[in-house]
Amino acid sequence: MREALRGLTTRGRSFLAAALAAAVSALILGERDLLRVAVLLAALPMLAAWYVGRSRYKLACTRSLDPVRTPVGSSARVILRLQNLSRLPTGTMLLEDRLPYALGSRPRVVLERLGAQQASSVAYTVRADVRGRYPIGPLMIRLTDPFGLCELNRSFPSVDKLIVIPQVTQLPRVRLAGEYAGTGESRARSVAVHGEDDAATREYRRGDDLRRVHWRSTARTGELMVRREEQPWESRATVVLDTRLQAHRGEGPTASFEWAVSAAASIAMHLRQSGYKLRLVTGTGVDLDASEAGGEGLILDTLADVKLSPNGDVSVLVEQVRRRSDGGLVIGLFGALTVAEAEVLTGLRGNGATCVGFAIDSSTWVPMTNGDRQESDREHAAASLALVRSGWKSVPVTHGDTLPALWPAVARGSQGFAYRAAMAETVSGVSR
């Protein structure tokens, strides 16, 4: 009740002031009727404070998000359901939900009086142009009596999370390099092997039984190889995301890193739908096995949170991928690379893996002088050529390119495309 009295509005305080003045006048003039008026004036705000104070403990609120996971640039609907649990009707209520700055200004919704045991729902929309997890809430409610004599604020502590995921684009279906096309109703399988004897081999790991060593593969590769327990025709793919801060340019939703994150999400969803057992590795230490049910949601949630790493290193990324590498298809999304860094990526070619790298020329995301642009083009072409010589299929990416347009270059039979393009750029750069 004391807290409710502190919530008296200007009108309610004016009633109390008028009651006090009437009471003093009644005592001075000896008028009982004036004293009755003073009592009435004082009773009204007191009853209003009691009414509002009693109602504040009889409200229940639930919040739902539709959808809980929304792509960048799309809208989500927030639905608030308020229920009056008391036997008395409420007055008009002002609802205000707390939102982070990225989702816009705080919504304010007026809800008319609720009868006893009644419920009502209100909704508003939010939109985010930046990936991430955004808290929505707590909800603030301003309660008032029908006469506007008392207002009381109440906060519901519940907070919900809206996950803003990268934009996912549909990719054309192509026969990927290293993919085996089955017949009949069978799905495509990743083989990435050189012959039947190698279909069930992998690199030796500490603790493996020496009786499982496959000597023919060991002699040919120069590394100790053992027979795998997995089936040879199992589809496997690893998506590798380069998160080095120095490798990406641009700011906000249009930065080269955001292009890479969106591409990683699109490729991962495409491969999952194609029946691949999928693994996601990033330079920030994420190593996610998305093979089980619900893997798509895990990938999107992980990519919603991924950030650039100021201390990223290509060699560390290679070691992280190799810890659990079982061959198959490796698709890398790399920012600006040097020739030395491109050569380090040779380490992912082990165990017969088929490697496809999207070489993002992040310098095209920022304006440059003609001289700086020519130098940057030469460096990017040299790195792309080194990537091809390291055994990768390289797909160059510049600002304005779309992933669906680039995706066919990943298909079988296009091995010479990136090599010829990189060689032509390098030669033209030297001639200039």
Side-chain angles (χ1 to χ4, degrees):
M1 185 65 179
R2 182 179 303 175
E3 184 178 355
L5 288 175
R6 288 198 296 266
L8 288 175
T9 63
T10 302
R11 182 183 300 176
R13 296 176 188 275
S14 298
F15 266 71
L16 288 181
L20 180 61
V24 173
S25 299
L27 292 176
I28 295 175
L29 300 176
E31 292 287 341
R32 288 189 176 182
D33 292 338
L34 193 56
L35 185 59
R36 293 190 184 96
V37 172
V39 172
L40 178 61
L41 290 174
L44 284 176
M46 298 296 290
L47 289 173
W50 173 83
Y51 171 78
V52 174
R54 187 177 185 276
S55 298
R56 83 181 273 265
Y57 300 104
K58 299 293 184 178
L59 292 175
C61 179
T62 58
R63 181 191 298 104
S64 59
L65 306 179
D66 183 25
V68 176
R69 187 185 292 116
T70 183
V72 168
S74 300
S75 299
R77 196 161 179 255
V78 182
I79 303 171
L80 298 171
R81 178 177 174 82
L82 202 65
Q83 185 175 10
N84 180 16
L85 302 178
S86 67
R87 298 180 180 179
L88 296 175
T90 68
T92 302
M93 292 176 287
L94 176 65
L95 280 60
E96 181 178 324
D97 227 357
R98 185 172 297 175
L99 297 178
Y101 176 77
L103 295 183
S105 59
R106 295 182 181 181
R108 295 183 178 181
V109 182
V110 176
L111 187 64
E112 297 298 333
R113 64 191 300 273
L114 287 177
Q117 307 298 322
Q118 285 188 349
S120 181
S121 299
V122 294
Y124 63 91
T125 59
V126 294
R127 172 191 170 97
D129 294 323
V130 181
R131 294 177 296 105
R133 295 174 185 259
Y134 297 98
I136 297 181
L139 175 68
M140 301 292 295
I141 296 181
R142 183 179 298 172
L143 301 170
T144 182
D145 65 285
F147 302 104
L149 300 176
C150 182
E151 289 182 352
L152 193 63
N153 293 327
R154 180 182 178 186
S155 175
F156 289 87
S158 64
V159 176
D160 293 276
K161 294 284 187 179
L162 176 66
I163 305 176
V164 181
I165 61 176
Q167 193 71 42
V168 177
T169 56
Q170 294 293 326
L171 302 180
R173 291 195 174 274
V174 297
R175 291 185 63 185
L176 300 177
E179 184 181 70
Y180 170 77
T183 58
E185 296 296 325
S186 63
R187 294 183 302 186
R189 302 288 181 176
S190 171
V191 291
V193 294
H194 300 289
E196 184 178 354
D197 289 337
D198 297 326
T201 61
R202 61 168 172 80
E203 294 177 352
Y204 175 82
R205 295 174 185 168
R206 192 173 187 179
D208 285 338
D209 190 345
L210 292 177
R211 291 174 296 182
R212 293 172 54 197
V213 173
H214 193 274
W215 297 109
R216 183 178 298 180
S217 298
T218 299
R220 189 182 64 254
T221 62
E223 296 183 8
L224 201 59
M225 306 292 288
V226 296
R227 294 182 179 87
R228 290 190 302 181
E229 296 177 354
E230 293 85 3
Q231 294 297 321
W233 305 115
E234 188 176 58
S235 299
R236 288 183 178 273
T238 301
V239 177
V240 182
L241 178 62
D242 180 12
T243 59
R244 294 172 299 135
L245 178 62
Q246 67 274 18
H248 292 279
R249 303 282 189 90
E251 297 180 356
T254 59
S256 64
F257 182 64
E258 294 304 317
W259 191 99
V261 173
S262 177
S266 301
I267 293 171
M269 295 300 101
H270 180 78
L271 294 177
R272 280 275 299 177
Q273 293 169 6
S274 299
Y276 280 83
K277 286 184 174 292
L278 194 65
R279 178 187 174 205
L280 174 67
V281 179
T282 73
T284 54
V286 172
D287 192 344
L288 178 65
D289 186 355
S291 302
E292 303 300 328
E296 294 182 1
L298 289 175
I299 292 172
L300 294 175
D301 290 350
T302 301
L303 291 176
D305 293 329
V306 68
K307 304 295 182 184
L308 287 169
S309 174
N311 301 319
D313 187 87
V314 171
S315 60
V316 175
L317 184 61
V318 170
E319 287 301 320
Q320 186 176 350
V321 176
R322 284 173 61 88
R323 285 189 198 129
R324 291 175 41 218
S325 178
D326 287 326
L329 180 63
V330 177
I331 298 182
L333 295 134
F334 303 110
L337 292 169
T338 64
V339 173
E341 289 170 339
E343 292 173 349
V344 170
L345 293 173
T346 307
L348 297 182
R349 286 281 298 153
N351 199 20
T354 299
C355 298
V356 180
F358 287 85
I360 301 173
D361 187 0
S362 58
S363 67
T364 60
W365 265 259
V366 294
M368 286 185 174
T369 63
N370 290 335
D372 291 341
R373 173 64 63 201
Q374 292 176 4
E375 179 64 25
S376 177
D377 289 345
R378 283 194 292 269
E379 292 176 356
H380 180 68
S384 297
L385 183 58
L387 192 62
V388 173
R389 287 174 172 170
S390 298
W392 286 68
K393 175 183 287 187
S394 177
V395 181
V397 181
T398 59
H399 185 256
D401 289 340
T402 61
L403 184 62
L406 297 174
W407 188 246
V410 181
R412 282 183 176 183
S414 61
Q415 285 89 341
F417 166 75
Y419 180 86
R420 290 192 299 269
M423 178 63 76
E425 290 185 19
T426 304
V427 171
S428 62
V430 172
S431 65
R432 287 195 295 265

